[in-house]
Amino acid sequence: MSEAELDALLRDCPVLFHMAERGAWPTIRRHGLLSTVAALDLFGVTGEARAAALRRRPDGIVLERADLGRIVLRDQKPLSDRGLERCLRDGLTPADWHARLNARVFFWLSRARVLTLLAGRAYRDHAHEVLELDAAALVAAHRDRIALSPINSGATGRFPAPRGADTFLPIADYPYAAYARRRRGERAVELTVPGAVPDAACYVRRVSVMRGPETEAVLYEAR
């Protein structure tokens, strides 16, 4: 991706979206956004509890400690190991893919993607917190660590998109022009940061409580 292409992407997608469990905002303000691995490290989770969290999670896992706060590792209902076996390339296994997902913080580049997820059968009956972040500011601060994905890497569904070693690519290596020709016009679906974004709150412009497409409350709005 060239500088001009990155500028175009940020013009068209000025807001990044992150969906979290209800009640997550105070902990995010304190610790930032953490990958699954980073959250397990912070809470000192080891042994079988850690191993279970790093496999596919059919339900959310709560991490809570008086001195640290509360984090919920989100469930992975839209993902199945059977689906991964059908779509993985480059000799990767489902365990390999889980390792890639668990090592990253994920952002959507479009509100439509968030609304689709919220409307899905797994989530539509529950309230969630949706963070809206300044895309240009976050990219400027974490550019060397960012990788982009052209697919929803955490879902398989009936017809899972192929995925492999080149699914997550650094900005400089991402084939923007090739994806610009896609019918839906999405040049990138996910923006990811390995490990954690400890200063995430600095880029947050709005935090909303949403149930399906409806906004139930606004918890925070930058001035």
Side-chain angles (χ1 to χ4, degrees):
M1 181 187 298
S2 68
E3 289 298 320
E5 289 170 337
L6 178 60
D7 288 344
L9 181 65
L10 292 173
R11 281 197 305 272
D12 292 343
C13 304
V15 179
L16 299 175
F17 299 88
H18 180 89
M19 190 172 115
E21 291 285 339
R22 182 76 183 268
W25 175 230
T27 307
I28 293 170
R29 282 193 297 186
R30 181 178 178 186
H31 298 294
L33 286 168
L34 307 178
S35 67
T36 295
V37 169
L40 294 172
D41 289 345
L42 176 66
F43 281 80
V45 179
T46 60
E48 177 52 33
R50 186 182 184 95
L54 295 175
R55 296 191 288 266
R56 177 188 177 272
R57 295 184 294 277
D59 297 295
I61 296 175
V62 178
L63 306 178
E64 191 164 16
R65 229 171 69 182
D67 60 328
L68 294 174
R70 183 176 186 271
I71 289 177
V72 179
L73 304 179
R74 294 191 62 85
D75 68 74
Q76 295 172 307
K77 287 184 173 71
L79 188 71
S80 77
D81 284 358
R82 182 175 296 180
L84 287 175
E85 288 169 355
R86 292 167 50 202
C87 66
L88 283 172
R89 304 171 304 186
D90 305 319
L92 295 176
T93 66
D96 295 328
W97 197 250
H98 291 307
R100 282 165 165 76
L101 299 182
N102 287 323
R104 298 175 180 276
V105 177
F106 288 83
F107 302 93
W108 300 108
L109 279 88
S110 76
R111 186 176 182 85
R113 285 279 180 174
V114 180
L115 294 177
T116 297
L117 188 61
L118 287 167
R121 183 172 57 184
Y123 302 125
R124 63 191 175 204
D125 295 328
H126 305 283
H128 302 269
E129 291 180 4
V130 176
L131 280 64
E132 301 176 30
L133 302 93
D134 184 317
L138 188 146
V139 169
H142 297 279
R143 176 172 178 157
D144 292 344
R145 303 171 56 223
I146 287 170
L148 298 169
S149 166
I151 65 168
N152 178 352
S153 61
T156 44
R158 292 180 60 191
F159 304 103
R163 61 205 72 188
D166 61 350
T167 297
F168 300 109
L169 290 174
I171 290 173
D173 298 333
Y174 191 78
Y176 175 95
Y179 292 121
R181 296 191 292 269
R182 294 200 296 191
R183 184 178 63 182
R184 292 181 63 176
E186 288 183 299
R187 284 143 294 176
V189 172
E190 297 171 336
L191 183 149
T192 77
V193 182
V197 185
D199 58 346
C202 297
Y203 315 116
V204 173
R205 296 295 171 260
R206 181 181 171 96
V207 181
S208 305
V209 177
M210 298 189 67
R211 189 184 304 268
E214 303 300 323
T215 298
E216 295 188 343
V218 176
L219 303 180
Y220 170 81
E221 194 153 17
R223 296 180 179 178

